[in-house]
Amino acid sequence: AQSVTQLDSQVPVFEEAPVELRCNYSSSVSVYLFWYVQYPNQGLQLLLKYLSGSTLVKGINGFEAEFNKSQTSFHLRKPSVHISDTAEYFCAVSARRGSQGNLIFGKGTKLSVKP
Amino acid sequence: DAGVIQSPRHEVTEMGQEVTLRCKPISGHNSLFWYRQTMMRGLELLIYFNNNVPIDDSGMPEDRFSAKMPNASFSTLKIQPSEPRDSAVYFCASKASGGPTQYYEQYFGPGTRLTVT
């Protein structure tokens, strides 16, 4: 079984500041890793994913994440945030085999960007 | 493509009433997922279908909840009778199976916000 822990439920930052949203996972098997974003009153949208290869993954809207197998982490970063990045961000994992592609989500981190 | 379509977007009903939520997946996708999102429990998988067949319904909270997928382009989630604790946002998601970069990406609908009074 897999589990995901998002260490911060809320992250307030000022516009143009850098941000890191933390995600740690637990799994007895190899996993794929994802970050989804949910804007207010909308569904979830895929931000980026790690399937294989380079551990640094770039996504939409200037976000990137780094897979660290030894620390079982997949932290999301952006060097300079905008007001429009205000949203809730979800980290998710899926077992590479036998899961039918099911996603296990973390509880989410609400990013609030202030002017 | 219009994406995953859910209806209604908002539903307000009284305790004890039957509620039916609807989902149209993206054309060509053969897996469909129903999720529930609440402040307390976050995002929970309720049930998922593969090729219209329910594969895992272990997340369905109780017998009051049922889900069907009569064909590849339509699914329903029914709550009968509804209770105030069912108030949540219900999301439908679909995915394709194919190449590895497609297989695991789920596409979410906008959700149905259910309020049971």
Side-chain angles (χ1 to χ4, degrees), chain A residues 32 34 36 38 41-44 46 49 51 88 90 94-97 99-103 105 107 110, chain B residues 9 33 35 37 39-43 45 48 50 91 95 100-101 103-106 108-110 113:
Chain A
Y32 297 115
F34 307 82
Y36 278 81
Q38 183 180 27
N41 299 314
Q42 294 186 28
L44 279 71
L46 184 66
K49 60 190 174 189
L51 300 182
E88 190 160 16
F90 293 89
S94 177
R96 286 178 176 262
R97 289 188 179 84
S99 69
Q100 304 269 352
N102 291 353
L103 294 171
F105 285 92
K107 289 287 179 71
K110 290 184 178 177
Chain B
R9 292 294 310 274
F33 304 80
Y35 292 90
Q37 185 179 37
M39 291 289 289
M40 291 295 294
R41 300 172 69 91
L43 201 61
L45 176 66
Y48 77 92
N50 201 36
F91 288 103
K95 77 171 177 68
T101 58
Y103 185 78
Y104 294 103
E105 179 167 354
Q106 293 186 22
F108 282 75
R113 183 174 295 277

Side-chain angles (χ1 to χ4, degrees), chain A residues 2 4 14 18 20-21 23-24 30-31 33 36 64 78-79 92 94 96-97 110 115:
Chain A
Q2 294 79 46
V4 177
F14 287 106
E20 178 179 82
L21 306 183
C23 172
N24 286 89
S30 296
V31 296
L33 295 153
Y36 278 81
E64 63 180 32
K78 186 169 183 178
S94 177
R96 286 178 176 262
R97 289 188 179 84
K110 290 184 178 177

